[in-house]
Amino acid sequence: MDKTKKIDIKNLLINNGIIVLLMILVLYVSITVPTFRSFRNLMNLAINAAPRVIIALGVSGCLITKGTDLSAGRAVGLSACLAGIMLQKPDAPGKIWANFPQLNVWVVLLIVMAICSIFGLINGIVVSYLNVPAFIGTLGMQLIVYGIALVVTNSVPIGGYRADYISVTQGKVGPIPLLFIYLIIAAAIFWFVYNYTRHGKYMYAIGGNEVAAEVSGVNVKKTKIIIYITAACMYAIAGFLLGGKSGGTSVNMGMGYELEAIAACTIGGVSVNGGIGKVSGVIIGVAVFELLKSAMQFMGLNTNYQYIAQGIVIVVAIALDIRKYIAKK
């Protein structure tokens, strides 16, 4: 009996060690700093987490199929810049595209998604048809997208947004931020796709054993391309929301977000070794990561040390995931 309990505790710590440690930290800060658990701070956490959950949902499909997407952060930055340029006021100072027509805000979102989907399509083709490792292929795309953003914006910060853009990204329904509602909608759609569609089944099959999936009739190449296009569309949505939420943007928006997304997915149980992952885990991973950052801020920890702590969490999360994979083998 005692031996069984010890094994259970060990497995619990291996599988959820980071979450347990971070929640202890959050509990400590909640007790010592009462404002940390205030409704206002919870809503701020929800607002900050929403775009990151959307990015992580996009990355999760890549991870489940034993891939990754290092272009995510730069795609977020490019989409934020493109949306910002198209949604500047007619009289905005330093307007980048002076004669650009005043399009409907949702039409602009669709345009940005269409542009980013091209990069996702290229990623999918490079990974599935050219057999380039996802790490290398998407790293190259990261640089390409960043270069395009620099060319498009001429490295100039963008601001002076239209009121309708601000309202759909900073608005609320009662006390609930619209960003949080968008998060719920995105999570619900991905949950349905992952659990109740043929595409979702194919995705997990590829991650579990790509050769076996192909032999059983799964169109592996097509599925991977769809996954990378979907991921790019999610980055476009996140960039659109982040730009409006911030009230301004630059090419550096979203920088490093792909690492946060990968870490959040891994913390939430999405394995970098493929075949495993749930939407609920992605949300939990992002929430834990955001709570960590907020807790360190409330503790008055220097920002420089916050980066070190986040880096440690990323390394440990990946290391534990690999250890679980080796243990199962």
Side-chain angles (χ1 to χ4, degrees):
M1 182 74 73
D2 292 335
K3 187 176 180 181
T4 303
K5 287 183 178 179
K6 287 181 181 179
I7 293 173
D8 289 340
I9 292 172
K10 181 180 178 181
N11 288 336
L12 177 67
L13 291 176
I14 290 175
N15 295 331
N16 304 290
I18 289 185
I19 294 179
V20 172
L21 290 174
L22 294 183
M23 292 314 296
I24 291 173
L25 172 64
V26 168
L27 183 62
Y28 169 76
V29 177
S30 298
I31 295 171
T32 57
V33 188
T35 52
F36 177 76
R37 60 178 187 268
S38 66
F39 179 78
R40 181 178 179 181
N41 187 49
L42 289 176
M43 286 300 98
N44 286 335
L45 284 170
I47 291 171
N48 289 332
R52 288 169 170 81
V53 168
I54 291 172
I55 297 167
L57 287 172
V59 171
S60 67
C62 305
L63 295 175
I64 289 171
T65 52
K66 292 187 179 179
T68 190
D69 193 346
L70 298 182
S71 67
R74 292 305 188 185
V76 168
L78 176 63
S79 61
C81 290
L82 290 172
I85 290 171
M86 289 186 274
L87 292 170
Q88 284 184 302
K89 296 175 184 176
D91 58 348
K95 186 174 171 64
I96 294 182
W97 293 348
N99 299 318
F100 192 81
Q102 297 296 293
L103 299 177
N104 179 277
V105 64
W106 300 114
V107 171
V108 169
L109 173 58
L110 291 175
I111 292 173
V112 172
M113 289 175 67
I115 293 171
C116 283
S117 68
I118 296 171
F119 302 120
L121 172 63
I122 296 171
N123 277 336
I125 291 173
V126 168
V127 170
S128 59
Y129 280 95
L130 301 183
N131 295 317
V132 175
F135 176 86
I136 301 299
T138 59
L139 178 61
M141 183 57 72
Q142 179 191 90
L143 297 173
I144 292 169
V145 172
Y146 183 51
I148 292 172
L150 289 169
V151 171
V152 169
T153 63
N154 200 27
S155 304
V156 175
I158 303 159
Y161 294 156
R162 285 162 30 188
D164 55 348
Y165 183 28
I166 298 298
S167 66
V168 300
T169 51
Q170 297 184 14
K172 295 181 179 181
V173 176
I176 308 300
L178 281 173
L179 284 174
F180 185 71
I181 295 174
Y182 301 149
L183 180 160
I184 298 300
I185 294 171
I189 292 172
F190 268 71
W191 176 82
F192 179 80
V193 171
Y194 281 15
N195 292 283
Y196 293 101
T197 67
R198 184 179 297 175
H199 173 75
K201 292 177 182 178
Y202 286 175
M203 180 180 68
Y204 286 106
I206 293 169
N209 189 321
E210 185 172 324
V211 174
E214 192 161 18
V215 169
S216 64
V218 175
N219 190 330
V220 173
K221 292 180 172 60
K222 179 182 176 182
T223 303
K224 283 187 177 182
I225 288 173
I226 291 172
I227 287 170
Y228 281 93
I229 291 175
T230 302
C233 287
M234 298 304 286
Y235 310 150
I237 294 171
F240 174 89
L241 296 176
L242 273 169
K245 166 186 169 289
S246 304
T249 189
S250 72
V251 293
N252 289 321
M253 176 165 280
M255 183 175 66
Y257 279 23
E258 66 279 351
L259 300 180
E260 284 190 21
I262 293 169
C265 285
T266 307
I267 290 170
V270 180
S271 176
V272 295
N273 293 295
I276 300 172
K278 296 180 179 179
V279 170
S280 57
V282 174
I283 296 173
I284 291 171
V286 173
V288 168
F289 214 73
E290 289 304 306
L291 283 167
L292 168 65
K293 291 190 285 187
S294 181
M296 289 189 294
Q297 290 170 0
F298 273 83
M299 290 171 65
L301 195 65
N302 186 293
T303 305
N304 299 330
Y305 293 107
Q306 292 178 31
Y307 285 118
I308 294 173
Q310 291 174 44
I312 291 172
V313 169
I314 290 173
V315 172
V316 173
I318 301 296
L320 287 175
D321 179 65
I322 293 173
R323 178 171 177 172
K324 285 188 286 183
Y325 175 74
I326 294 172
K328 286 180 181 179
K329 290 184 71 177

